[in-house]
């Protein structure tokens, strides 16, 4: 079974969800504002936001009659934890490539 970090990355593979996600770091936005940014209807934005909420990449709070969305640090942490497991091997491969290039006299 995939971890939440994997599910978060899968959710962001969709370009529309990624556009919605990328619009949120500076300030909470409403469904209507996010729909306008993504160039989709409010109902389509709500469906994408549901997916992002399920993997804890965004959270919602009510502000009067509006629903405001912001980034959820829990899901971001899950995705980061998943990706960090690859960092040591990626650095080792990079180091090996630099060593090989140096030995072959490449700049």
């Amino acid at each position: 079974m995939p971890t939440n970090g994997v599910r978060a990355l899968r959710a962001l593979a969709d370009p529309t969800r990624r556009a919605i996600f990328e619009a949120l770091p500076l300030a909470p936005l409403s469904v209507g504002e996010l729909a306008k940014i993504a160039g989709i209807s409010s109902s389509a934005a709500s469906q994408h936001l549901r997916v992002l909420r399920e993997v804890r990449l965004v959270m919602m709070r009510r502000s009067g009659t509006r629903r405001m969305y912001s980034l959820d640090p829990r899901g971001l942490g899950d995705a980061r934890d998943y990706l960090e497991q690859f960092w040591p091997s990626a650095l080792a491969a990079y180091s090996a490539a630099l060593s090989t290039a140096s030995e072959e006299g490449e700049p």
Side-chain angles (χ1 to χ4, degrees):
M1 175 165 225
T3 65
N4 194 60
V6 171
R7 288 190 298 272
L9 293 175
R10 284 182 185 162
L12 292 174
D14 180 277
T16 302
R17 282 194 288 271
R18 197 168 45 256
I20 290 169
F21 176 81
E22 290 172 354
L24 291 171
L26 298 179
L29 296 170
S30 69
V31 173
E33 292 167 323
L34 291 166
K36 189 179 225 182
I37 289 167
I40 57 176
S41 68
S42 290
S43 62
S46 292
Q47 291 173 4
H48 285 292
L49 285 161
R50 180 182 50 81
V51 172
L52 293 170
R53 282 181 64 197
E54 287 173 356
V55 297
R56 300 185 322 184
L57 285 172
V58 300
M59 56 186 161
M60 184 270 296
R61 71 172 173 78
R62 293 188 189 274
S63 177
T65 59
R66 294 173 37 166
R67 294 179 179 180
M68 302 300 291
Y69 289 85
S70 58
L71 296 182
D72 187 336
R74 297 172 303 166
L76 292 170
D78 292 341
R80 180 181 178 178
D81 290 345
Y82 173 75
L83 291 172
E84 278 186 346
Q85 70 180 317
F86 302 105
W87 192 241
S89 59
L91 287 177
Y94 180 68
S95 178
L98 286 177
S99 293
T100 301
S102 177
E103 291 169 4
E104 294 174 357
E106 294 179 20

